[in-house]
Amino acid sequence: MNVRIAEDWKELLKQEFDKTYFESLVAFVKEEYKNYTIYPKGQNIFRAFDRCPIDKVKVVIIGQDPYHGEGQANGLCFSVNDGVQFPPSLRNIFNEIHADTGTPIPQSGNLDRWAEQGVLLLNSVLTVRKDQAASHSGHGWEEFTDAVIRAVASHKQGVVYMLWGAYAQKKCDIVDAKLNLILKTSHPSPLSVYRGFDGCRHFSKANDYLKSIGKEPVVW
């Protein structure tokens, strides 16, 4: 199956695209786009891969599914386009970065600037119906993004995995903690931010680790 995804990732994941589950997933997603308002736009489904080549990956952040509000999802987890109001989770992320590193809270919630530095911003589920969170869960996306994590883990080491919430933490059970840095805490949503995310200092910890193994830190 020909999938519109960055060529480096296409080569890495090519075996997935011919599997039965992926064919069923594609059929489901096409029907959903025909009959409902689906986010993100079709050309942005694999945008996280387009913006972050596999050779540059040094941090992986895992979300659950795209924002389901109008005009929010842009293909990168937790990210919104320029001019879009920050969703609560993203605002909490920026607040923690500011408290941790002193970096001012930015004007834009567009996280392309992170992706271009090697931060893979990967949702577990890559599409969603408008106003219906988790509506595309259980249709095959999870199997595909599990394969993405396996591919990163087998091809790269010295990667920082930021795992926020039990969902993300379970997804990365395959990652070798001896060869990478695994940072775990609660999800930055308003319901759980005070259970560990607030004050976790993941952003400075990530940069300290990257510098210790000779990699450029991320400008958060």
Side-chain angles (χ1 to χ4, degrees):
M1 180 179 294
N2 185 30
V3 177
R4 294 180 181 178
I5 190 172
E7 288 298 322
D8 55 341
W9 288 101
K10 181 182 286 189
E11 178 63 23
L12 195 63
L13 300 167
K14 59 185 178 182
Q15 292 183 345
E16 298 303 309
F17 301 138
D18 292 324
K19 291 183 178 179
T20 301
Y21 87 85
F22 196 84
E23 294 177 359
S24 298
L25 170 62
V26 169
F28 165 75
V29 170
K30 285 182 176 179
E31 282 300 307
E32 287 286 291
Y33 273 95
K34 286 180 184 178
N35 295 303
Y36 302 94
T37 299
I38 304 299
Y39 299 131
K41 294 180 179 179
Q43 66 265 33
N44 289 336
I45 292 174
F46 295 109
R47 191 164 172 269
F49 305 96
D50 298 337
R51 303 302 291 178
C52 185
I54 180 62
D55 286 346
K56 289 186 66 175
V57 173
K58 55 188 177 185
V59 178
V60 176
I61 299 177
I62 298 174
Q64 295 188 12
D65 59 348
Y67 295 126
H68 53 80
E70 184 175 356
Q72 292 181 315
N74 69 3
L76 309 181
C77 74
F78 296 109
S79 177
V80 294
N81 287 327
D82 296 338
V84 176
Q85 184 177 359
F86 299 165
S89 292
L90 182 58
R91 179 165 295 281
N92 288 334
I93 290 169
F94 287 153
N95 286 341
E96 175 59 24
I97 291 172
H98 176 64
D100 182 17
T101 69
T103 301
I105 293 175
Q107 296 297 309
S108 172
N110 190 330
L111 303 182
D112 280 14
R113 59 188 183 274
W114 292 5
E116 290 163 2
Q117 296 177 77
V119 181
L120 179 62
L121 293 157
L122 179 68
N123 277 314
S124 178
V125 175
L126 300 186
T127 53
V128 68
R129 280 189 199 176
K130 179 182 178 180
D131 298 330
Q132 295 185 42
S135 50
H136 284 189
S137 297
H139 290 277
W141 278 130
E142 293 92 340
E143 187 170 349
F144 174 71
T145 51
D146 280 351
V148 173
I149 297 299
R150 287 195 299 270
V152 174
S154 63
H155 284 78
K156 303 275 292 186
Q157 61 186 50
V159 174
V160 180
Y161 292 83
M162 294 186 178
L163 308 180
W164 302 334
Y167 190 87
Q169 291 165 20
K170 183 178 179 181
K171 195 167 185 68
C172 278
D173 284 346
I174 189 174
V175 177
D176 190 337
K178 295 179 181 178
L179 300 176
N180 305 277
L181 177 64
I182 299 177
L183 299 173
K184 299 180 180 181
T185 191
S186 66
H187 194 275
S189 72
L191 294 176
S192 58
V193 65
Y194 297 112
R195 298 176 185 169
F197 185 87
D198 188 16
C200 68
R201 301 190 66 241
H202 277 189
F203 303 94
S204 61
K205 290 176 181 177
N207 278 350
D208 288 345
Y209 174 77
L210 292 172
K211 287 186 287 187
S212 76
I213 58 174
K215 294 183 179 182
E216 285 293 316
V218 177
V219 178
W220 300 109

